[in-house]
Amino acid sequence: MAETVAIITPCYRAERWIGAAVRSVLAQSWPDWEHWIVADDGADYEAMLAAEGLRDPRLRFVSSGAIGGGASRARNVALDALTASYAAILDADDRFKPDKLAQAVAALGHHAIVSVALDEYDETGRQLRLVGQGPDRELSPAVYKWTSLSMDSMILWDRRRTDARYDLELTNMTDLELLLQLYRSVRASWHLGTPLHDYLKLSVSMSNGPGVTEKMIRSKREMLRRLETGFYPMADARGPEGMAAFLRISLRAEETYDDAVAAQPGLLFEDHLEPMLWAHPPPA
């Protein structure tokens, strides 16, 4: 029996991007999906999309019940309401490539968590780089971030085998924090090395722009503190130390990034971080 994938998209002032995100879902080769569009700004996204000719009975429109309550709260509203077995995250400014769901659903047949490689763009449409490309492979939590070193909102998971809610205390890195929870009952995830998710790196967003670096550092330090104090027990006992090792390296990368950009203008954080990761392989 075909499994339905519930795709969750929080929307805050998303008028510019949401149409492209929804079109990417409508273009999926896997037809058994429902797309939960959660307004966190009071906007009528159903009417907005209808005006662009985007109507489909599989689109679900709900409100977060707040104005600017945050992406985590909006995602949790959908997670509390949906009944589908599989869940996927799609930010309003990102897109799925046409075969993402089909390939991910096939992988969810043997692993409870699936990640995919990213095709990263700037807001002008210029491709910046690929992240996580290569062969399909199993990743334990201890080594996961040496492959998926960028954002983690491209995952899908089987809610019958593992599930979680987004942490409302963290301002950033909430996708990684959710993954730490999902790994509590899952020993390993499956990674699809074909880029199947378009990640749009905006100049101003939750992940980029003035003041974001400080928030990122605070969230990374808090997750590292939790890992070091046993807050995230994992099915794979090596997982917490591997994730902690990644966060320590990532924090060092944050400390040295400004100087690196001064020496090489336009340097992406991923291009700064990646050599540091490979200089310090994950714990065996």
Side-chain angles (χ1 to χ4, degrees), residues 15-58:
E15 296 89 344
R16 180 178 176 186
W17 310 109
I18 187 61
V22 170
R23 286 187 184 92
S24 79
V25 174
L26 293 170
Q28 289 300 296
S29 58
W30 180 262
D32 296 299
W33 54 262
E34 56 190 36
H35 191 181
W36 291 72
I37 297 169
V38 188
D40 192 40
D41 55 5
D44 186 345
Y45 284 96
E46 183 172 12
M48 191 183 305
L49 291 166
E52 296 184 38
L54 299 175
R55 299 179 181 87
D56 193 285
R58 294 168 292 179

Side-chain angles (χ1 to χ4, degrees), residues 125-186:
R126 178 173 63 97
Q127 187 185 48
L128 300 174
R129 63 163 292 168
L130 302 177
V131 179
Q133 74 276 24
D136 297 350
R137 55 207 182 275
E138 185 178 80
L139 296 176
S140 72
V143 306
Y144 170 87
K145 289 301 292 181
W146 270 257
T147 294
S148 294
L149 57 95
S150 191
M151 60 83 130
D152 299 288
S153 66
M154 72 308 195
I155 66 168
L156 298 88
W157 69 97
D158 184 340
R159 300 173 65 238
R160 298 165 299 187
R161 291 184 279 174
T162 186
D163 204 12
R165 296 295 182 270
Y166 284 85
D167 188 322
L168 302 183
E169 295 181 7
L170 295 181
T171 58
N172 294 79
M173 303 292 291
T174 54
D175 299 308
L176 178 57
E177 199 281 335
L178 181 88
L179 185 60
L180 296 180
Q181 295 185 59
L182 295 177
Y183 273 129
R184 284 174 168 165
S185 56
V186 173

Side-chain angles (χ1 to χ4, degrees), residues 97-117:
K97 293 188 187 295
D99 289 331
K100 174 172 179 175
L101 294 185
Q103 293 194 36
V105 166
L108 284 168
H110 52 80
H111 280 74
I113 305 170
V114 174
S115 60
V116 306

Side-chain angles (χ1 to χ4, degrees), residues 108-268:
L108 284 168
H110 52 80
H111 280 74
I113 305 170
V114 174
S115 60
V116 306
L118 303 174
D119 207 345
E120 195 169 294
Y121 295 86
D122 68 15
E123 52 203 293
T124 71
R126 178 173 63 97
Q127 187 185 48
L128 300 174
R129 63 163 292 168
L130 302 177
V131 179
Q133 74 276 24
D136 297 350
R137 55 207 182 275
E138 185 178 80
L139 296 176
S140 72
V143 306
Y144 170 87
K145 289 301 292 181
W146 270 257
T147 294
S148 294
L149 57 95
S150 191
M151 60 83 130
D152 299 288
S153 66
M154 72 308 195
I155 66 168
L156 298 88
W157 69 97
D158 184 340
R159 300 173 65 238
R160 298 165 299 187
R161 291 184 279 174
T162 186
D163 204 12
R165 296 295 182 270
Y166 284 85
D167 188 322
L168 302 183
E169 295 181 7
L170 295 181
T171 58
N172 294 79
M173 303 292 291
T174 54
D175 299 308
L176 178 57
E177 199 281 335
L178 181 88
L179 185 60
L180 296 180
Q181 295 185 59
L182 295 177
Y183 273 129
R184 284 174 168 165
S185 56
V186 173
R187 293 187 61 83
S189 56
W190 189 257
H191 182 74
L192 298 172
T194 300
L196 296 170
H197 189 111
D198 291 346
Y199 169 42
L200 188 61
K201 186 183 281 289
L202 299 176
S203 55
V204 177
S205 69
M206 285 183 62
S207 303
N208 300 285
V212 170
T213 297
E214 291 75 13
K215 293 178 181 178
M216 286 283 193
I217 290 172
R218 283 198 298 271
S219 291
K220 289 176 182 179
R221 285 176 175 165
E222 173 58 18
M223 280 190 288
L224 178 58
R225 183 195 69 79
R226 294 179 185 182
L227 284 161
E228 291 175 339
T229 56
F231 186 81
Y232 299 109
M234 296 183 186
D236 182 345
R238 302 169 301 168
E241 177 50 36
M243 284 289 188
F246 165 78
L247 286 170
R248 294 185 194 106
I249 296 168
S250 187
L251 283 165
R252 289 199 294 272
E254 296 279 12
E255 294 169 358
T256 56
Y257 183 50
D258 285 347
D259 288 341
V261 171
Q264 186 179 342
L267 178 70
L268 294 174

